Amino acid sequence: MTQTTDFLSHLNSSQRRAVEHYCGPLLVVAGAGSGKTRALTYRIANLILKHKVAPENILAVTFTNKAAREMKERIEKLFAQQLALSKHGQRLELLPAEEQVQLRSRVYKTYIKPLWIGTFHSLFSRILRFDINKYQDDKGHQWKRSFSIFDESDAQSLVKNIVTKQLNLDDKKFNPRSMRYAISNAKNQGLTPNDIEKNQPDYKGRVLSQVYSSYQDQLAANNALDFDDLILIPVRLFQQNESVLGYWHQQFQHILVDEYQDTNRIQYDLIRLLVTNGETRKSEWNWQNRSVFVVGDADQSIYSFRMADYTILLEFQEDFGDGLPDDDTRTMVKLEENYRSRENILQAANYLIENNTQRIDKVLKATRGIGEQIYCHKADDEVAEAHFVVNQIRKMEEQNPEIDWGSFAILYRTNAQSRPFEDALRGKVPYIIVGGLKFYDRKEIKDALAYLRAIANPDDTVSLLRIINTPRRGIGQATIDNLVGAAQQLGVPLWEILSDKTSVATLAGRSAKGVNSFADLITRWQEQVENFSAAEIVKGIMEESGYVQDLQKQGTDEAENRLENVSELYNAVLQFQEENEDTSLGGFLANASLASDLDDLKDGQKAVSLMTLHSAKGLEFPVIFLVGLEQGLFPNFRSMDDPAALEEERRLCYVGITRAQEQLYLSHARERRLYGNREPAVRSQFLGEIPKELISSTLVKVKASSEPLTSAIEPKQQTTKRSTKQSADWKVGELLIHDSFGTGEVTHVFGSGSKISIAVKFPGVGQKILDPKRTILQRVK
Ligand code: ATP
Ligand code: MG
């Protein structure tokens, strides 16, 4: 591939410095929308193109799976373009369609597929698929490489079962939900059941430790891990086994982390182990052909409830870097220009966040012109608030031909706030709830996945129990209890009992026939797992198990809907196989259990997005509605008398405001029904922290703006260069610069007013007809 690195011209000089830095540690700190994620993406491209780093030696941690996909797509495009130029001397889009496809698929295979880009969870679950069999915990538990990943609801039911059935505790006093939360927190701090008992030697601490310990036994017995284990076990494994650590240290020569401010201690330990190979003496570190590159913004740290700790970011310079003052350091870069938001929006965010005491001051300059005032709306109640927002969205969509439903996002503090908005949108405006009931949380999907997990990992008793009598096979609860009881007493997985006809005959009585046919079914598929693709297995098992026929027989709308979801699952498997060239059942299952809420947000989907502020991190939209700005709701009541928690709420508000590119609407209600009661509401203190001059309370008439709104999520670059009246006044003979085609001359102007298009002649490229409203064009004066 060519040495050309002209793609770096899409960066400012500080970004370029960050991207071109080759070996050693580097920290990029900067405010929202300053191009941190862009710098990280370009850095990966530069490592491969310029420094010839093999893609498989790069590990990049993103905050969501969706972000990982976007990053890969971006890099793929960059590479395809470079290759088109070097091999064919032509830009990619000018090559015949067939060659474009071939070239992209070559780029994908050679450069993109081998990259390790993903969330902490997906990356390290992959590593565990290789090496978990070399790990043993302090109680001697071991796992096989075919482990299942239990999701939150699986984990909850395990804990509930332990509290109420195994330990016979009062679940009012020992709420299973809070116990589960406490276990998760313990794992995120690297604490074992023993540590818990030591730290908290009272009765409550002892019970927690006991529940935690049984929970671990159960996970191990099911050959299963929960989400937290996907991070914690690699740390322990690396500490336990030098050669395993050595292998991965050797593999990952360049490590990059986005959103570093939301890293927790265990994730940090992982990064540190991989970077240093477990060597604690800084002087002994060898940075040759090696780097660690992290980007983040302490003002956007919003996951302390999951033990995220932004002091990890603040300590990077001491930890890995040269520790020199800002003016002299070579291991830190600051970015100070914001490319996302209009100045009014940015100023509001900057003023707001200055009210936090726990922060480092930083500069964030607007580059995109002042924009319209922020509009603040006071509604009578939550229903009126929703109507205001939806009406406003409809008006704007109608009056601005350039924008579509995908340009809008409604952000709120808690999931429950979505309901009135859904009611107001339903049937009128397409919308998508990001992080609602996930596809993979639906009953029929969980059933289908349980079949697949039971095939892939017969030790997974939780899955076996879910489907042993679904659809009905005449296996009663008493029989199931008998079988489970026997397995527990013998200390063997349930499957060993189920798959043994003699034991079944003894324990299952009249249900033996049903149990045997279930066991036969699973055994048949287990034996064939290697010979079939994941898609074939899904189809086969759902039919042979009678699941599909059962739904067909029911014939209700609900059953119909479930059937559709099952076939959607089949589509999801096919898609996974195509995207990953991995047809194995294990591959698909790992992917399905890690599909996060945000993955519901599909690219290019023309729908209004509704989501919590937490889900909005890293995203951008032309128009943002930030709703429910009331004391007790946002900031949340739990933070009202806890200064540190209040600062976190303010950071969350900062994140929300800085998602907006063009327009920001804030709203609050006079009264609100919360938890069943209608209560008067007081406007949020955060509203008072934004200077009045920036806010308007009279609605500007929505005009058909001649200035296009940019598209949702990662708009085209260089929006700053848009000329304000570009659609109206192009003249024949004018020169302009197009992002891809370069400099060209206008040869024709078609139409008039907002409906014009222009023909432009680009030397070496040819004549193109462009819609100036949809294309970024820079006028050459
Ligand atoms: P956040 O803190 O919200 O994660 P960020 O710092 O990661 O933001 P990006 O998402 O990388 O910022 O960039 C914000 C927007 O600015 C994106 O639309 C990006 O394409 C654009 N952008 C970044 N750098 C430049 C640049 N040098 N010139 C023009 N546009 C840029
Ligand atoms: Mg970012």
Side-chain angles (χ1 to χ4, degrees):
M1 194 174 280
T2 161
Q3 289 267 356
T4 37
T5 42
D6 53 357
F7 64 96
L8 297 182
S9 63
H10 302 156
L11 302 170
N12 66 33
S13 63
S14 312
Q15 286 174 315
R16 231 180 134 126
R17 204 144 54 80
V19 168
E20 292 188 311
H21 161 100
Y22 178 37
C23 293
L26 194 74
L27 165 70
V28 177
V29 273
S34 55
K36 297 183 294 297
T37 302
R38 179 186 276 207
L40 190 143
T41 309
Y42 278 64
R43 178 177 166 79
I44 297 174
N46 197 53
L47 284 173
I48 302 172
L49 283 175
K50 171 130 184 270
H51 299 289
K52 307 289 175 237
V53 174
E56 60 268 29
N57 294 141
I58 297 176
L59 179 84
V61 185
T62 57
F63 196 68
T64 59
N65 294 313
K66 177 181 154 55
R69 268 203 307 276
E70 270 176 15
M71 224 172 248
K72 284 189 202 160
E73 256 166 50
R74 232 146 213 269
I75 300 170
E76 184 188 317
K77 271 194 204 136
L78 274 172
F79 284 7
Q81 200 57 266
Q82 299 281 322
L83 205 62
L85 285 172
S86 67
K87 287 261 177 281
H88 305 272
Q90 286 252 40
R91 295 195 58 84
L92 180 68
E93 56 278 13
L94 302 176
L95 295 176
E98 205 174 308
E99 265 179 57
Q100 287 190 28
V101 172
Q102 268 180 14
L103 203 140
R104 289 188 75 141
S105 97
R106 212 175 105 210
V107 166
Y108 179 79
K109 277 210 184 97
T110 324
Y111 299 100
I112 308 301
K113 196 164 168 250
L115 281 168
W116 289 69
I117 301 187
T119 60
F120 271 110
H121 291 101
S122 65
L123 292 169
F124 287 92
S125 75
R126 251 176 93 187
I127 288 177
L128 289 176
R129 291 273 168 216
F130 286 96
D131 279 336
I132 196 166
N133 53 343
K134 304 186 182 104
Y135 170 72
Q136 185 166 25
D137 78 3
D138 50 357
K139 279 173 90 182
H141 294 132
Q142 286 187 298
W143 282 262
K144 296 177 206 143
R145 293 169 53 181
S146 57
F147 62 85
S148 294
I149 301 170
F150 278 5
D151 67 15
E152 201 37 49
S153 71
D154 299 325
Q156 292 262 359
S157 43
L158 269 193
V159 170
K160 185 155 184 221
N161 207 33
I162 293 165
V163 171
T164 56
K165 299 234 172 84
Q166 205 176 317
L167 302 177
N168 280 321
L169 295 166
D170 177 359
D171 63 357
K172 300 235 165 45
K173 250 213 216 105
F174 296 97
N175 180 298
R177 260 184 100 102
S178 22
M179 303 287 269
R180 162 72 197 129
Y181 186 65
I183 292 173
S184 176
N185 275 352
K187 287 192 177 183
N188 279 318
Q189 292 168 280
L191 302 174
T192 62
N194 277 339
D195 298 330
I196 297 284
E197 194 166 355
K198 255 185 252 146
N199 295 352
Q200 205 186 325
D202 56 5
Y203 177 58
K204 267 199 131 145
R206 282 206 309 278
V207 170
L208 176 60
S209 158
Q210 214 177 351
V211 174
Y212 182 4
S213 174
S214 306
Y215 173 76
Q216 284 309 103
D217 294 344
Q218 297 270 329
L219 283 177
N222 280 277
N223 190 28
L225 303 180
D226 66 16
F227 287 151
D228 303 318
D229 290 331
L230 299 178
I231 314 293
L232 183 57
I233 292 186
V235 171
R236 298 251 162 87
L237 171 62
F238 289 165
Q239 286 164 340
Q240 230 171 54
N241 191 321
E242 255 177 43
S243 75
V244 171
L245 174 60
Y247 176 86
W248 295 107
H249 167 75
Q250 205 46 42
Q251 166 99 26
F252 300 129
Q253 291 167 2
H254 296 275
I255 296 180
L256 305 94
V257 189
D258 199 2
E259 307 278 5
Y260 193 63
Q261 76 281 355
D262 276 325
T263 304
N264 70 33
R265 285 283 154 192
I266 302 298
Q267 293 164 336
Y268 165 79
D269 286 345
L270 262 184
I271 296 297
R272 191 176 162 105
L273 282 163
L274 282 175
V275 170
T276 64
N277 200 18
E279 171 60 66
T280 47
R281 288 160 304 176
K282 203 170 170 178
S283 56
E284 297 299 305
W285 295 345
N286 178 2
W287 288 112
Q288 206 184 354
N289 297 326
R290 220 168 232 297
S291 70
V292 57
F293 176 89
V294 307
V295 310
D297 175 8
D299 287 336
Q300 295 186 65
S301 166
I302 54 176
Y303 276 97
S304 72
F305 65 95
R306 285 196 203 150
M307 298 292 140
D309 180 356
Y310 63 84
T311 59
I312 293 172
L313 173 97
L314 304 182
E315 286 161 7
F316 182 92
Q317 275 285 65
E318 287 302 320
D319 253 0
F320 293 104
D322 57 22
L324 295 174
D326 290 9
D327 289 340
D328 306 323
T329 181
R330 301 173 68 118
T331 54
M332 179 173 71
V333 171
K334 290 185 171 178
L335 308 178
E336 303 192 326
E337 276 124 335
N338 172 295
Y339 292 98
R340 178 182 295 146
S341 309
R342 292 286 176 189
E343 188 168 347
N344 269 333
I345 296 169
L346 198 61
Q347 277 204 27
N350 284 341
Y351 274 104
L352 175 93
I353 201 66
E354 268 178 29
N355 290 282
N356 271 8
T357 54
Q358 299 236 344
R359 67 184 293 263
I360 320 170
D361 222 9
K362 54 182 181 300
V363 184
L364 193 55
K365 291 184 292 240
T367 63
R368 302 210 38 225
I370 190 91
E372 283 175 31
Q373 272 184 312
I374 295 163
Y375 177 72
C376 180
H377 181 78
K378 182 177 190 173
D380 284 340
D381 58 16
E382 76 279 2
V383 175
E385 182 186 40
H387 278 125
F388 160 73
V389 169
V390 175
N391 283 339
Q392 193 61 21
I393 289 179
R394 293 177 73 182
K395 261 194 268 173
M396 291 176 81
E397 198 272 346
E398 202 179 286
Q399 295 174 11
N400 293 271
E402 307 86 358
I403 60 178
D404 57 55
W405 302 121
S407 308
F408 302 95
I410 305 172
L411 309 182
Y412 37 76
R413 178 66 183 83
T414 63
N415 270 314
Q417 281 169 266
S418 73
R419 195 198 43 80
F421 292 95
E422 287 184 76
D423 290 345
L425 289 160
R426 199 171 297 120
K428 299 186 190 116
V429 174
Y431 68 91
I432 169 169
I433 306 235
V434 181
L437 185 60
K438 279 188 285 173
F439 178 71
Y440 288 103
D441 282 345
R442 296 185 184 138
K443 179 189 178 302
E444 59 281 13
I445 301 304
K446 291 207 71 168
D447 289 344
L449 290 178
Y451 272 101
L452 302 180
R453 294 203 315 207
I455 294 168
N457 171 26
D459 293 345
D460 186 341
T461 302
V462 169
S463 293
L464 283 170
L465 288 175
R466 186 176 178 101
I467 50 171
I468 187 168
N469 200 34
T470 309
R472 294 220 167 89
R473 300 187 175 90
I475 306 173
Q477 192 55 45
T479 304
I480 296 174
D481 290 346
N482 266 349
L483 295 162
V484 171
Q488 273 169 358
Q489 280 181 18
L490 294 178
V492 298
L494 176 66
W495 179 245
E496 268 187 38
I497 308 279
L498 292 184
S499 55
D500 177 51
K501 294 238 156 51
T502 318
S503 310
V504 171
T506 317
L507 294 163
R510 274 186 295 134
S511 311
K513 199 166 150 243
V515 176
N516 284 333
S517 81
F518 172 69
D520 289 344
L521 172 76
I522 301 294
T523 311
R524 260 200 325 278
W525 281 98
Q526 278 168 359
E527 285 164 1
Q528 299 178 26
V529 80
E530 303 289 336
N531 307 332
F532 287 98
S533 71
E536 289 163 332
I537 298 174
V538 172
K539 202 165 165 43
I541 191 78
M542 292 313 277
E543 278 170 10
E544 278 181 33
S545 64
Y547 198 96
V548 167
Q549 290 85 332
D550 187 52
L551 286 175
Q552 281 166 344
K553 248 195 327 223
Q554 290 177 26
T556 59
D557 281 355
E558 192 192 327
E560 195 56 40
N561 197 353
R562 291 188 192 282
L563 273 173
E564 271 168 29
N565 284 336
V566 171
S567 77
E568 186 55 35
L569 177 70
Y570 177 69
N571 293 338
V573 186
L574 287 179
Q575 190 186 336
F576 169 81
Q577 292 181 176
E578 272 163 30
E579 283 174 6
N580 297 278
E581 294 177 28
D582 177 357
T583 58
S584 77
L585 184 59
F588 171 71
L589 279 175
N591 178 272
S593 27
L594 294 172
S596 83
D597 308 351
L598 275 172
D599 293 326
D600 293 346
L601 189 62
K602 300 216 176 66
D603 292 327
Q605 195 159 319
K606 303 273 182 274
V608 174
S609 297
L610 276 70
M611 67 185 103
T612 64
L613 287 148
H614 280 100
S615 298
K617 202 168 71 157
L619 304 181
E620 56 192 18
F621 294 87
V623 186
I624 291 285
F625 291 85
L626 187 51
V627 303
L629 277 152
E630 293 144 37
Q631 289 295 94
L633 186 57
F634 191 28
N636 187 286
F637 72 92
R638 278 185 300 269
S639 69
M640 304 294 285
D641 37 39
D642 176 351
L646 182 65
E647 297 212 344
E648 176 133 332
E649 292 287 299
R650 195 176 280 112
R651 289 195 291 272
L652 197 51
C653 190
Y654 175 80
V655 168
I657 292 174
T658 53
R659 299 309 96 197
Q661 297 170 308
E662 303 291 335
Q663 279 182 34
L664 174 66
Y665 290 82
L666 307 170
S667 67
H668 60 107
R670 239 184 278 272
E671 59 171 43
R672 177 176 299 268
R673 190 186 291 278
L674 257 189
Y675 312 112
N677 300 320
R678 188 157 283 290
E679 305 264 2
V682 178
R683 76 202 281 270
S684 168
Q685 69 190 91
F686 297 153
L687 286 171
E689 294 172 7
I690 301 173
K692 287 197 187 57
E693 314 81 82
L694 301 176
I695 300 187
S696 155
S697 49
T698 44
L699 204 51
V700 274
K701 199 171 157 298
V702 186
K703 54 178 186 297
S705 120
S706 55
E707 184 175 14
L709 291 161
T710 44
S711 67
I713 314 179
E714 281 279 304
K716 320 293 168 290
Q717 72 219 16
Q718 294 174 346
T719 35
T720 52
K721 289 182 185 160
R722 261 165 218 223
S723 105
T724 40
K725 284 185 288 177
Q726 62 177 203
S727 59
D729 57 358
W730 285 102
K731 288 196 191 68
V732 172
E734 268 187 305
L735 290 183
L736 53 77
I737 300 174
H738 181 275
D739 247 11
S740 316
F741 307 136
T743 309
E745 184 183 337
V746 179
T747 56
H748 290 87
V749 179
F750 308 98
S752 63
S754 67
K755 294 234 163 66
I756 74 157
S757 48
I758 53 177
V760 186
K761 200 163 171 193
F762 295 97
V765 175
Q767 184 120 327
K768 302 263 159 203
I769 297 179
L770 305 169
D771 178 348
K773 289 203 302 293
R774 296 188 183 274
T775 323
I776 298 163
L777 301 172
Q778 195 187 343
R779 205 180 288 270
V780 179
K781 289 263 153 63

